[in-house]
Amino acid sequence: MRDWRDGCRPQDITVTGEPQGRVVVLARGFGCDQNMWEELLRGRRVAEEARTRAEADRARLQEALAVLQQSLVPDSLPPVPGMERAAYYHTASLDRLGGDFYDVFPIDGKRFAFFLGDVCGKGPQAAGLTSLTRYTLRAAALCTTPSPSRH
């Protein structure tokens, strides 16, 4: 036979060991005493605090990801004689780093390099590979391109 308190015993909801909330299933005809209601309210406050912390953590993560993502593309495009240039980059997700990159830079007084690419994947690994690829291409273009005076 069920005890009347089985109808008001709160059950913690946890995710990866962290409290995320509580649930109480009240059976019809069963009641809870004052201590149980106070415990339920404390549980609700704990859940609300955990949600607030999670939202703040997510906002900080999104800000850090946006800074990292922005570092994978140039702040501005240099003037290229005889060409109009413009760029617009919009990430597909605020929560994931992407592997897209582009770069435009002068090689010498008359020539410019342009790269546009996308590495496979998302996340920190893709961002790391993107950064490595972008700066390797830039270094290779500057170091291996013969100047017009050597032709």
Side-chain angles (χ1 to χ4, degrees):
M1 181 162 190
R2 274 182 25 168
D3 186 299
W4 69 271
R5 288 167 292 197
D6 290 341
C8 349
R9 188 164 293 132
Q11 297 298 312
D12 291 330
I13 301 169
T14 60
V15 176
T16 64
E18 292 292 318
Q20 301 297 312
R22 281 194 162 174
V23 64
V24 174
V25 178
L26 298 174
R28 179 171 250 166
F30 290 121
C32 293
D33 64 15
Q34 184 64 30
N35 291 336
M36 188 60 66
W37 285 114
E38 289 171 3
E39 187 177 344
L40 288 172
L41 291 174
R42 275 192 304 276
R44 180 176 179 172
R45 281 191 300 274
V46 166
E48 288 173 355
E49 290 166 2
R51 181 185 53 79
T52 300
R53 283 191 310 274
E55 287 174 354
D57 288 346
R58 183 169 189 249
R60 282 191 298 275
L61 176 63
Q62 285 180 338
E63 183 179 342
L65 292 175
V67 168
L68 287 171
Q69 187 72 58
Q70 192 59 39
S71 74
L72 300 176
V73 295
D75 290 332
S76 61
L77 301 177
V80 179
M83 291 183 66
E84 289 185 37
R85 75 264 183 268
Y88 175 76
Y89 181 80
H90 178 75
T91 185
S93 170
L94 296 176
D95 297 318
R96 305 276 322 259
L97 287 170
D100 304 323
F101 68 96
Y102 61 89
D103 205 352
V104 178
F105 56 93
I107 293 175
D108 56 34
K110 295 183 180 183
R111 296 177 304 153
F112 288 80
F114 169 72
F115 297 114
L116 176 65
D118 184 7
V119 302
C120 292
K122 298 274 185 230
Q125 296 83 4
L129 184 56
T130 296
S131 180
L132 178 64
T133 302
R134 178 177 174 222
Y135 290 107
T136 299
L137 287 170
R138 183 179 264 256
L142 293 172
C143 292
T144 61
T145 304
S147 69
S149 61
R150 290 190 238 160
H151 283 4

